[in-house]
Structures are given as C-alpha cells and as structure tokens.
Amino acid sequence: IYPEYKRAIAKIRLSAHKLPIETEGYMKIPRADRVCTLGCEAIGDEMHYLFDCEHPAIQKVYTPIIVDIDTQLTVGNIFYFFYAFLLY
C-alpha cells in the first residue's frame, strides 16, 4: 500500500480528520445534525465520504484511490492489507 494511503487510513482510524462527524462533535452538535458539507443530507461521517457521497469533487478524488487499492488487493496480499489496516 502506498504511504499516502496508509496516512489516510491512519487519520480515519484515529479520528484525526476534519470531517463534520468529528469536528462538530467538539462543538457538542448532536450526531444527527453533523451533515455532509457538500450539500447532502446524510451524516458527514467516514463511510459517507468514502463510499456514499455523490458529489463530483469527492468522486473525482476518491474513485481513483479506491480503484487503485482494489487492483492491489490480490489473494496474495489481501491479508497484508487488512493487517496493515488493523495496525493503523
């Protein structure tokens, strides 16, 4: 896995990102009100931005990364990916 992907995974696992689900939590905003900043009505959490958000800016950035990771996941290194994911 590329180092920049490892850093991104680490930020998500450690909640060291600037998504609404995290930053608005510091301001005591209820979870249901921490919506996507790109106009969606969905809760702005990690799963939404990585897999569900249909905004073109998100699709432009994340789709190539997810496809790239998917092509790297062969049977031989899928164990390594999940092991690395659990470590970060």
Side-chain angles (χ1 to χ4, degrees):
I1 299 176
Y2 299 119
E4 58 270 18
Y5 295 168
K6 288 183 182 181
R7 282 190 288 278
I9 291 170
K11 283 185 173 189
I12 289 173
R13 299 224 355 117
L14 295 171
S15 296
H17 50 69
K18 297 184 184 210
L19 299 179
I21 197 68
E22 192 66 31
T23 57
E24 293 176 3
Y26 299 137
M27 297 181 279
K28 306 291 187 212
I29 295 174
R31 180 177 171 81
D33 295 334
R34 302 178 210 169
V35 296
C36 177
T37 57
L38 299 173
C40 303
E41 292 300 319
I43 294 177
D45 62 359
E46 299 88 350
M47 293 300 289
H48 169 71
Y49 282 101
L50 287 174
F51 300 109
D52 299 330
C53 191
E54 297 294 328
H55 193 275
I58 296 294
Q59 294 297 317
K60 181 180 178 182
V61 172
Y62 286 122
T63 301
I65 293 171
I66 291 172
V67 169
D68 191 27
I69 289 174
D70 189 46
T71 58
Q72 292 180 36
L73 291 179
T74 60
V75 174
N77 66 5
I78 196 164
F79 175 77
Y80 168 75
F81 175 78
F82 284 110
Y83 181 72
F85 184 78
L86 292 173
L87 289 178
Y88 286 97

Coordinates of all heavy atoms in Angstrom, one line a residue:
I1 N 0.9 -1.2 0.0 CA 0.0 0.0 0.0 C 0.9 1.2 0.0 O 1.9 1.3 0.7 CB -0.9 0.0 1.2 CG1 -1.8 -1.2 1.2 CG2 -1.8 1.3 1.3 CD1 -2.7 -1.3 2.4
Y2 N 0.5 2.2 -0.8 CA 1.3 3.4 -0.9 C 1.3 4.2 0.5 O 0.3 4.2 1.2 CB 0.7 4.4 -2.0 CG 0.8 3.8 -3.3 CD1 -0.4 3.6 -4.1 CD2 2.0 3.4 -3.9 CE1 -0.3 3.0 -5.3 CE2 2.1 2.9 -5.2 CZ 0.9 2.7 -5.9 OH 0.9 2.1 -7.1
P3 N 2.4 4.9 0.8 CA 2.5 5.6 2.1 C 1.3 6.6 2.3 O 0.8 6.7 3.4 CB 3.8 6.3 2.1 CG 4.6 5.4 1.1 CD 3.7 4.9 0.1
E4 N 0.9 7.3 1.2 CA -0.1 8.3 1.4 C -1.5 7.6 1.8 O -2.3 8.2 2.5 CB -0.3 9.2 0.2 CG -0.6 8.5 -1.1 CD 0.7 8.1 -1.9 OE1 1.8 8.0 -1.3 OE2 0.5 7.8 -3.1
Y5 N -1.7 6.4 1.3 CA -2.9 5.7 1.6 C -2.8 5.2 3.1 O -3.8 5.3 3.8 CB -3.1 4.4 0.8 CG -3.3 4.7 -0.7 CD1 -3.2 3.7 -1.6 CD2 -3.6 6.0 -1.2 CE1 -3.4 4.0 -3.0 CE2 -3.8 6.3 -2.5 CZ -3.7 5.3 -3.4 OH -3.9 5.5 -4.7
K6 N -1.7 4.8 3.5 CA -1.5 4.5 4.9 C -1.8 5.6 5.9 O -2.4 5.5 6.9 CB -0.1 3.9 5.2 CG 0.2 2.6 4.6 CD 1.6 2.1 5.0 CE 1.9 0.8 4.3 NZ 3.2 0.3 4.7
R7 N -1.3 6.8 5.5 CA -1.6 8.0 6.3 C -3.1 8.3 6.3 O -3.6 8.7 7.4 CB -0.8 9.2 5.8 CG 0.7 9.2 6.2 CD 1.3 10.5 5.9 NE 1.6 10.7 4.4 CZ 2.6 10.2 3.8 NH1 3.5 9.4 4.4 NH2 2.7 10.4 2.5
A8 N -3.7 8.2 5.2 CA -5.2 8.5 5.1 C -5.9 7.5 6.0 O -6.9 7.9 6.7 CB -5.6 8.4 3.7
I9 N -5.6 6.2 5.9 CA -6.2 5.2 6.7 C -6.0 5.5 8.2 O -6.9 5.4 9.0 CB -5.8 3.8 6.3 CG1 -6.3 3.5 4.9 CG2 -6.2 2.7 7.3 CD1 -5.7 2.2 4.3
A10 N -4.8 5.8 8.5 CA -4.5 6.1 9.9 C -5.3 7.3 10.4 O -5.8 7.3 11.6 CB -3.0 6.4 10.1
K11 N -5.4 8.4 9.6 CA -6.2 9.5 10.1 C -7.7 9.1 10.3 O -8.3 9.6 11.3 CB -6.2 10.6 9.0 CG -4.9 11.4 9.0 CD -4.9 12.5 8.1 CE -3.7 13.4 8.2 NZ -3.8 14.7 7.4
I12 N -8.2 8.3 9.4 CA -9.6 7.8 9.6 C -9.7 7.0 10.9 O -10.6 7.2 11.7 CB -10.1 7.1 8.4 CG1 -10.3 8.1 7.3 CG2 -11.4 6.3 8.7 CD1 -10.6 7.5 5.9
R13 N -8.8 6.0 11.1 CA -8.9 5.2 12.2 C -8.7 5.9 13.6 O -9.2 5.5 14.6 CB -7.8 4.0 12.1 CG -8.1 3.2 10.9 CD -8.0 1.7 11.1 NE -7.6 1.1 12.3 CZ -8.4 0.3 13.0 NH1 -9.7 0.1 12.6 NH2 -8.0 -0.2 14.1
L14 N -7.9 7.0 13.5 CA -7.6 7.7 14.7 C -8.5 8.9 14.9 O -8.4 9.7 15.9 CB -6.1 8.2 14.7 CG -5.1 7.2 14.8 CD1 -3.7 7.7 14.5 CD2 -5.1 6.4 16.1
S15 N -9.4 9.1 14.0 CA -10.3 10.3 14.0 C -9.6 11.6 14.0 O -9.9 12.5 14.7 CB -11.3 10.2 15.2 OG -12.1 9.1 15.1
A16 N -8.5 11.6 13.3 CA -7.6 12.8 13.1 C -7.9 13.5 11.8 O -7.0 13.9 11.1 CB -6.2 12.4 13.2
H17 N -9.2 13.6 11.4 CA -9.6 14.2 10.2 C -10.5 15.4 10.5 O -10.8 15.7 11.6 CB -10.3 13.2 9.3 CG -11.4 12.5 10.0 ND1 -12.5 13.1 10.4 CD2 -11.4 11.2 10.5 CE1 -13.3 12.2 11.1 NE2 -12.7 11.0 11.1
K18 N -10.9 16.1 9.4 CA -11.7 17.3 9.6 C -13.1 17.1 9.1 O -13.7 18.0 8.5 CB -11.0 18.5 9.0 CG -9.7 18.8 9.7 CD -9.0 20.0 9.1 CE -7.7 20.1 9.8 NZ -7.2 21.4 10.0
L19 N -13.6 15.9 9.2 CA -15.0 15.6 8.7 C -16.0 16.1 9.8 O -15.6 16.2 11.0 CB -15.2 14.1 8.5 CG -14.3 13.5 7.4 CD1 -14.5 12.0 7.2 CD2 -14.4 14.2 6.1
P20 N -17.2 16.5 9.3 CA -18.1 17.0 10.3 C -18.4 16.1 11.5 O -18.7 16.6 12.6 CB -19.4 17.2 9.4 CG -18.9 17.3 8.0 CD -17.7 16.5 8.0
I21 N -18.4 14.8 11.3 CA -18.7 13.9 12.3 C -17.8 14.1 13.5 O -18.1 13.9 14.7 CB -18.8 12.4 11.9 CG1 -19.5 11.5 12.8 CG2 -17.4 11.9 11.6 CD1 -21.0 11.8 12.9
E22 N -16.6 14.5 13.2 CA -15.6 14.7 14.3 C -15.5 16.1 14.7 O -15.6 16.4 15.9 CB -14.2 14.3 13.7 CG -13.1 14.2 14.8 CD -13.4 13.0 15.8 OE1 -14.0 12.0 15.4 OE2 -13.0 13.2 16.9
T23 N -15.3 17.1 13.8 CA -15.1 18.5 14.2 C -16.4 19.1 14.9 O -16.2 19.8 15.9 CB -14.8 19.4 13.0 OG1 -15.8 19.3 12.0 CG2 -13.4 18.9 12.4
E24 N -17.6 18.8 14.4 CA -18.8 19.3 15.0 C -19.1 18.6 16.4 O -19.8 19.1 17.2 CB -19.9 19.2 14.1 CG -19.7 20.2 12.9 CD -20.8 20.1 11.8 OE1 -21.8 19.3 12.0 OE2 -20.7 20.7 10.8
G25 N -18.5 17.4 16.6 CA -18.6 16.8 17.9 C -18.0 17.6 19.0 O -18.4 17.6 20.1
Y26 N -16.9 18.2 18.6 CA -16.2 19.1 19.6 C -17.1 20.2 20.1 O -16.9 20.8 21.2 CB -14.9 19.6 19.1 CG -13.9 18.5 18.7 CD1 -13.2 18.6 17.5 CD2 -13.7 17.4 19.5 CE1 -12.2 17.6 17.2 CE2 -12.8 16.4 19.2 CZ -12.1 16.5 18.0 OH -11.2 15.6 17.7
M27 N -18.0 20.7 19.2 CA -18.8 21.8 19.5 C -20.2 21.3 20.1 O -21.1 22.1 20.2 CB -19.1 22.6 18.2 CG -17.8 23.2 17.6 SD -18.2 24.2 16.2 CE -18.3 22.9 14.9
K28 N -20.2 20.0 20.5 CA -21.4 19.4 21.1 C -22.7 19.5 20.2 O -23.8 19.5 20.7 CB -21.7 20.1 22.4 CG -20.6 20.1 23.4 CD -20.2 18.7 23.9 CE -19.2 18.9 25.0 NZ -18.3 17.7 25.0
I29 N -22.5 19.5 18.9 CA -23.6 19.4 18.0 C -24.1 17.9 17.9 O -23.3 17.0 17.8 CB -23.2 19.9 16.6 CG1 -22.8 21.4 16.6 CG2 -24.3 19.6 15.5 CD1 -22.3 21.9 15.3
P30 N -25.4 17.7 18.0 CA -25.9 16.3 18.0 C -25.5 15.6 16.7 O -25.4 16.2 15.7 CB -27.4 16.5 18.0 CG -27.6 17.8 18.6 CD -26.5 18.7 18.2
R31 N -25.2 14.3 16.8 CA -24.8 13.5 15.7 C -25.7 13.6 14.5 O -25.2 13.7 13.4 CB -24.6 12.0 16.1 CG -24.1 11.1 15.0 CD -24.0 9.7 15.5 NE -23.7 8.8 14.5 CZ -22.5 8.6 13.9 NH1 -21.5 9.3 14.3 NH2 -22.4 7.7 12.9
A32 N -26.9 13.6 14.7 CA -27.9 13.7 13.6 C -27.8 15.0 12.8 O -28.2 15.1 11.6 CB -29.3 13.5 14.1
D33 N -27.2 16.1 13.4 CA -27.1 17.4 12.8 C -25.7 17.6 12.1 O -25.5 18.6 11.5 CB -27.3 18.5 13.8 CG -28.8 18.5 14.3 OD1 -29.7 18.0 13.5 OD2 -29.0 18.9 15.4
R34 N -24.8 16.6 12.2 CA -23.5 16.8 11.6 C -23.5 16.2 10.2 O -23.0 15.2 9.9 CB -22.5 16.0 12.4 CG -22.4 16.4 13.9 CD -21.4 15.6 14.6 NE -21.8 15.5 16.0 CZ -21.2 14.6 16.9 NH1 -20.3 13.8 16.5 NH2 -21.7 14.6 18.1
V35 N -24.1 17.0 9.3 CA -24.3 16.6 7.9 C -23.2 16.9 7.0 O -22.3 17.7 7.3 CB -25.6 17.2 7.3 CG1 -26.8 16.7 8.1 CG2 -25.6 18.7 7.3
C36 N -23.2 16.3 5.9 CA -22.2 16.5 4.8 C -22.1 17.9 4.4 O -23.1 18.6 4.2 CB -22.5 15.6 3.6 SG -21.4 15.8 2.2
T37 N -20.9 18.5 4.3 CA -20.7 19.9 4.0 C -20.9 20.2 2.5 O -20.8 21.3 2.1 CB -19.3 20.3 4.4 OG1 -18.3 19.5 3.8 CG2 -19.2 20.2 5.9
L38 N -21.1 19.1 1.7 CA -21.2 19.3 0.3 C -22.7 19.3 -0.2 O -22.9 19.2 -1.4 CB -20.4 18.2 -0.5 CG -18.9 18.2 -0.1 CD1 -18.3 17.0 -0.7 CD2 -18.3 19.5 -0.6
G39 N -23.6 19.5 0.7 CA -25.0 19.6 0.3 C -25.8 18.3 0.5 O -27.0 18.4 0.2
C40 N -25.3 17.3 0.8 CA -26.0 16.0 1.1 C -26.8 16.2 2.4 O -26.4 17.0 3.3 CB -25.1 14.8 1.2 SG -24.1 14.5 -0.2
E41 N -27.8 15.5 2.6 CA -28.5 15.5 3.9 C -28.0 14.3 4.8 O -28.6 14.1 5.9 CB -30.0 15.4 3.7 CG -30.5 16.7 3.0 CD -30.3 17.9 3.9 OE1 -30.4 17.9 5.1 OE2 -29.9 19.0 3.3
A42 N -27.0 13.6 4.4 CA -26.6 12.4 5.1 C -25.6 12.9 6.2 O -25.0 14.0 6.1 CB -25.9 11.5 4.2
I43 N -25.4 12.1 7.2 CA -24.4 12.4 8.3 C -23.1 12.3 7.7 O -22.7 11.4 6.9 CB -24.6 11.4 9.4 CG1 -25.9 11.5 10.1 CG2 -23.4 11.5 10.4 CD1 -26.2 10.5 11.2
G44 N -22.2 13.4 7.9 CA -20.9 13.5 7.3 C -19.9 12.7 8.0 O -18.9 13.3 8.6
D45 N -20.0 11.4 8.0 CA -19.0 10.5 8.6 C -18.1 9.9 7.6 O -18.2 10.1 6.4 CB -19.7 9.5 9.5 CG -20.6 8.5 8.7 OD1 -20.7 8.7 7.5 OD2 -21.1 7.6 9.3
E46 N -17.2 9.1 8.0 CA -16.2 8.5 7.1 C -16.8 7.6 6.1 O -16.4 7.7 4.9 CB -15.2 7.6 8.0 CG -14.4 8.4 9.0 CD -15.1 8.5 10.3 OE1 -16.3 8.1 10.5 OE2 -14.4 9.0 11.3
M47 N -17.8 6.8 6.4 CA -18.4 5.9 5.5 C -19.1 6.7 4.4 O -19.1 6.3 3.2 CB -19.4 5.0 6.2 CG -18.7 4.0 7.1 SD -17.5 2.9 6.2 CE -18.7 1.9 5.3
H48 N -19.8 7.8 4.8 CA -20.5 8.6 3.8 C -19.5 9.2 2.7 O -19.7 9.0 1.5 CB -21.2 9.7 4.4 CG -21.8 10.7 3.4 ND1 -22.8 10.4 2.6 CD2 -21.4 12.0 3.1 CE1 -23.1 11.4 1.8 NE2 -22.2 12.4 2.1
Y49 N -18.4 9.8 3.2 CA -17.5 10.4 2.3 C -16.7 9.4 1.4 O -16.4 9.7 0.3 CB -16.5 11.3 3.0 CG -17.1 12.7 3.4 CD1 -17.5 12.9 4.7 CD2 -17.3 13.7 2.5 CE1 -18.1 14.1 5.1 CE2 -17.8 14.9 2.9 CZ -18.2 15.1 4.2 OH -18.8 16.3 4.5
L50 N -16.4 8.3 2.0 CA -15.7 7.3 1.2 C -16.5 6.5 0.2 O -16.0 6.2 -0.9 CB -14.9 6.3 2.2 CG -13.8 6.9 2.9 CD1 -13.3 5.9 3.9 CD2 -12.7 7.3 2.0
F51 N -17.7 6.2 0.6 CA -18.5 5.2 -0.2 C -19.8 5.8 -0.7 O -20.3 5.3 -1.7 CB -18.7 3.9 0.6 CG -17.5 3.3 1.0 CD1 -17.1 3.2 2.3 CD2 -16.6 2.7 0.0 CE1 -15.9 2.6 2.7 CE2 -15.5 2.1 0.4 CZ -15.1 2.0 1.7
D52 N -20.5 6.7 -0.1 CA -21.8 7.1 -0.4 C -22.0 8.5 -1.1 O -22.9 8.7 -1.8 CB -22.7 7.0 0.8 CG -22.8 5.7 1.4 OD1 -22.6 4.7 0.7 OD2 -23.0 5.6 2.6
C53 N -21.1 9.4 -0.8 CA -21.2 10.8 -1.3 C -21.1 10.8 -2.8 O -20.2 10.3 -3.4 CB -20.2 11.7 -0.7 SG -20.5 13.4 -1.0
E54 N -22.1 11.4 -3.4 CA -22.2 11.5 -4.9 C -21.7 12.8 -5.4 O -21.8 13.1 -6.6 CB -23.7 11.3 -5.3 CG -24.2 9.9 -5.0 CD -23.5 8.8 -5.7 OE1 -23.0 9.0 -6.9 OE2 -23.4 7.7 -5.1
H55 N -21.2 13.7 -4.6 CA -20.7 15.0 -5.0 C -19.5 14.8 -6.0 O -18.6 14.0 -5.7 CB -20.3 15.9 -3.9 CG -20.1 17.3 -4.2 ND1 -18.9 17.7 -4.7 CD2 -20.9 18.4 -4.2 CE1 -19.0 19.0 -5.0 NE2 -20.2 19.4 -4.6
P56 N -19.5 15.5 -7.1 CA -18.4 15.3 -8.1 C -17.0 15.5 -7.6 O -16.1 14.8 -8.0 CB -18.7 16.3 -9.2 CG -20.2 16.6 -9.0 CD -20.5 16.4 -7.6
A57 N -16.8 16.4 -6.7 CA -15.5 16.7 -6.1 C -15.0 15.4 -5.3 O -13.8 15.1 -5.4 CB -15.5 17.9 -5.2
I58 N -15.9 14.8 -4.6 CA -15.5 13.6 -3.8 C -15.2 12.4 -4.8 O -14.3 11.7 -4.6 CB -16.6 13.2 -2.8 CG1 -16.8 14.3 -1.8 CG2 -16.4 11.9 -2.2 CD1 -15.6 14.5 -0.9
Q59 N -16.1 12.3 -5.8 CA -15.9 11.2 -6.7 C -14.6 11.3 -7.5 O -13.9 10.3 -7.7 CB -17.1 11.2 -7.7 CG -18.4 10.8 -7.1 CD -18.4 9.4 -6.5 OE1 -17.9 8.5 -7.1 NE2 -18.9 9.3 -5.3
K60 N -14.2 12.5 -7.8 CA -13.0 12.8 -8.6 C -11.8 12.4 -7.8 O -10.8 11.8 -8.3 CB -12.9 14.3 -9.0 CG -11.7 14.6 -9.8 CD -11.7 16.1 -10.1 CE -10.4 16.5 -10.8 NZ -10.4 17.9 -11.1
V61 N -11.8 12.6 -6.5 CA -10.7 12.3 -5.6 C -10.7 10.8 -5.2 O -9.6 10.1 -5.3 CB -10.7 13.2 -4.4 CG1 -9.6 12.7 -3.4 CG2 -10.5 14.6 -4.8
Y62 N -11.8 10.3 -4.7 CA -11.8 9.0 -4.1 C -11.9 7.8 -5.0 O -11.4 6.8 -4.7 CB -12.8 8.9 -3.0 CG -12.5 9.7 -1.7 CD1 -13.3 10.7 -1.2 CD2 -11.3 9.4 -1.1 CE1 -12.9 11.4 -0.1 CE2 -10.9 10.1 0.1 CZ -11.7 11.1 0.5 OH -11.4 11.8 1.6
T63 N -12.7 8.0 -6.1 CA -12.9 6.9 -7.0 C -11.5 6.3 -7.5 O -11.3 5.1 -7.5 CB -13.8 7.2 -8.2 OG1 -15.0 7.7 -7.6 CG2 -14.0 6.1 -9.1
P64 N -10.6 7.1 -8.0 CA -9.3 6.5 -8.5 C -8.5 5.8 -7.3 O -7.9 4.8 -7.6 CB -8.5 7.7 -9.0 CG -9.5 8.8 -9.2 CD -10.6 8.5 -8.3
I65 N -8.6 6.4 -6.1 CA -7.9 5.7 -5.0 C -8.5 4.4 -4.7 O -7.8 3.4 -4.5 CB -7.9 6.7 -3.8 CG1 -7.1 7.9 -4.1 CG2 -7.4 6.0 -2.5 CD1 -7.3 9.0 -3.0
I66 N -9.8 4.3 -4.6 CA -10.5 3.1 -4.3 C -10.2 2.0 -5.4 O -10.0 0.9 -5.1 CB -12.0 3.3 -4.0 CG1 -12.2 4.1 -2.7 CG2 -12.7 2.0 -4.0 CD1 -13.6 4.6 -2.4
V67 N -10.3 2.5 -6.6 CA -10.0 1.5 -7.7 C -8.5 1.1 -7.6 O -8.2 -0.1 -7.8 CB -10.3 2.2 -9.1 CG1 -9.7 1.4 -10.2 CG2 -11.8 2.4 -9.3
D68 N -7.6 2.0 -7.3 CA -6.2 1.6 -7.2 C -6.0 0.6 -6.1 O -5.3 -0.4 -6.2 CB -5.4 2.9 -7.0 CG -3.9 2.6 -7.1 OD1 -3.5 1.7 -7.8 OD2 -3.1 3.3 -6.5
I69 N -6.6 0.8 -4.9 CA -6.5 -0.1 -3.8 C -7.1 -1.4 -4.2 O -6.5 -2.5 -3.9 CB -7.1 0.5 -2.6 CG1 -6.3 1.6 -2.0 CG2 -7.3 -0.6 -1.5 CD1 -6.9 2.3 -0.8
D70 N -8.2 -1.4 -4.9 CA -8.9 -2.6 -5.3 C -8.0 -3.5 -6.2 O -8.0 -4.7 -6.1 CB -10.2 -2.3 -6.0 CG -11.1 -3.5 -6.2 OD1 -11.2 -4.3 -5.3 OD2 -11.6 -3.7 -7.3
T71 N -7.3 -2.8 -7.1 CA -6.4 -3.6 -8.0 C -5.2 -4.1 -7.3 O -4.6 -5.1 -7.8 CB -6.0 -2.7 -9.2 OG1 -5.3 -1.5 -8.7 CG2 -7.1 -2.3 -10.1
Q72 N -4.8 -3.5 -6.2 CA -3.7 -4.0 -5.4 C -4.1 -5.2 -4.6 O -3.2 -6.0 -4.1 CB -3.1 -2.9 -4.5 CG -2.5 -1.8 -5.3 CD -1.9 -0.8 -4.3 OE1 -1.4 -1.1 -3.2 NE2 -2.0 0.5 -4.7
L73 N -5.4 -5.4 -4.3 CA -5.8 -6.4 -3.4 C -6.0 -7.8 -4.2 O -7.0 -8.1 -4.6 CB -7.2 -6.1 -2.8 CG -7.2 -4.9 -1.8 CD1 -8.6 -4.7 -1.3 CD2 -6.2 -5.2 -0.7
T74 N -4.9 -8.4 -4.3 CA -4.9 -9.8 -4.9 C -5.1 -10.8 -3.7 O -4.9 -10.4 -2.6 CB -3.7 -10.1 -5.7 OG1 -2.6 -10.0 -4.8 CG2 -3.5 -9.1 -6.9
V75 N -5.3 -12.0 -4.0 CA -5.4 -13.0 -3.0 C -4.1 -13.1 -2.1 O -4.2 -13.2 -0.9 CB -5.7 -14.4 -3.6 CG1 -5.7 -15.5 -2.5 CG2 -7.0 -14.4 -4.3
G76 N -3.0 -12.8 -2.7 CA -1.7 -12.9 -2.0 C -1.5 -11.8 -1.0 O -0.9 -12.0 0.0
N77 N -2.0 -10.6 -1.3 CA -1.7 -9.5 -0.4 C -3.0 -9.0 0.3 O -2.9 -7.9 1.0 CB -1.0 -8.4 -1.1 CG -1.8 -7.7 -2.1 OD1 -3.0 -8.0 -2.3 ND2 -1.2 -6.8 -2.9
I78 N -4.1 -9.6 0.2 CA -5.3 -9.1 0.9 C -5.1 -9.2 2.4 O -5.5 -8.4 3.2 CB -6.6 -9.8 0.4 CG1 -7.8 -9.1 0.9 CG2 -6.6 -11.3 0.9 CD1 -9.1 -9.5 0.2
F79 N -4.4 -10.3 2.9 CA -4.2 -10.4 4.3 C -3.3 -9.3 4.8 O -3.5 -8.7 5.8 CB -3.5 -11.7 4.6 CG -3.1 -11.9 6.0 CD1 -4.0 -12.2 7.0 CD2 -1.7 -11.7 6.4 CE1 -3.6 -12.3 8.3 CE2 -1.4 -11.8 7.7 CZ -2.3 -12.1 8.7
Y80 N -2.3 -8.9 4.0 CA -1.4 -7.8 4.4 C -2.2 -6.5 4.5 O -2.0 -5.7 5.4 CB -0.3 -7.6 3.3 CG 0.4 -6.3 3.5 CD1 1.4 -6.1 4.6 CD2 0.2 -5.2 2.7 CE1 2.0 -4.9 4.8 CE2 0.9 -4.0 2.9 CZ 1.8 -3.9 3.9 OH 2.4 -2.7 4.1
F81 N -3.1 -6.2 3.5 CA -3.9 -5.0 3.6 C -4.7 -4.9 4.9 O -4.7 -3.9 5.6 CB -4.9 -4.9 2.4 CG -5.8 -3.8 2.4 CD1 -5.3 -2.5 2.1 CD2 -7.1 -3.9 2.8 CE1 -6.2 -1.4 2.1 CE2 -7.9 -2.8 2.9 CZ -7.5 -1.6 2.5
F82 N -5.4 -6.0 5.2 CA -6.2 -6.0 6.4 C -5.4 -5.9 7.7 O -5.7 -5.2 8.6 CB -7.2 -7.1 6.5 CG -8.4 -7.0 5.6 CD1 -8.5 -7.7 4.4 CD2 -9.3 -6.0 5.8 CE1 -9.5 -7.6 3.6 CE2 -10.4 -5.8 4.9 CZ -10.5 -6.6 3.8
Y83 N -4.2 -6.6 7.7 CA -3.3 -6.5 8.8 C -2.8 -5.1 8.9 O -2.8 -4.5 10.0 CB -2.2 -7.5 8.6 CG -1.2 -7.5 9.7 CD1 -1.5 -8.0 10.9 CD2 0.1 -6.9 9.5 CE1 -0.6 -8.0 11.9 CE2 1.0 -6.9 10.5 CZ 0.7 -7.5 11.8 OH 1.6 -7.5 12.8
A84 N -2.4 -4.4 7.8 CA -1.9 -3.0 7.9 C -3.1 -2.1 8.3 O -2.8 -1.2 9.1 CB -1.4 -2.6 6.5
F85 N -4.3 -2.4 7.9 CA -5.4 -1.5 8.2 C -5.7 -1.6 9.7 O -5.9 -0.6 10.4 CB -6.6 -2.0 7.5 CG -7.9 -1.1 7.7 CD1 -8.0 0.1 7.1 CD2 -8.9 -1.6 8.6 CE1 -9.1 0.9 7.4 CE2 -10.0 -0.8 8.8 CZ -10.1 0.5 8.2
L86 N -5.6 -2.8 10.3 CA -5.8 -3.0 11.7 C -4.7 -2.4 12.6 O -4.9 -1.9 13.7 CB -5.9 -4.5 12.1 CG -7.1 -5.2 11.5 CD1 -7.1 -6.7 11.8 CD2 -8.4 -4.6 12.1
L87 N -3.5 -2.3 12.0 CA -2.4 -1.7 12.8 C -2.5 -0.2 12.8 O -2.0 0.5 13.7 CB -1.0 -2.1 12.1 CG -0.6 -3.5 12.3 CD1 0.7 -3.8 11.6 CD2 -0.5 -3.9 13.8
Y88 N -3.1 0.4 11.8 CA -3.1 1.9 11.7 C -4.4 2.3 12.2 O -5.3 2.5 12.6 CB -2.9 2.4 10.3 CG -1.5 2.3 9.9 CD1 -1.0 1.2 9.1 CD2 -0.6 3.3 10.2 CE1 0.3 1.1 8.8 CE2 0.7 3.2 9.9 CZ 1.1 2.1 9.1 OH 2.5 2.0 8.8

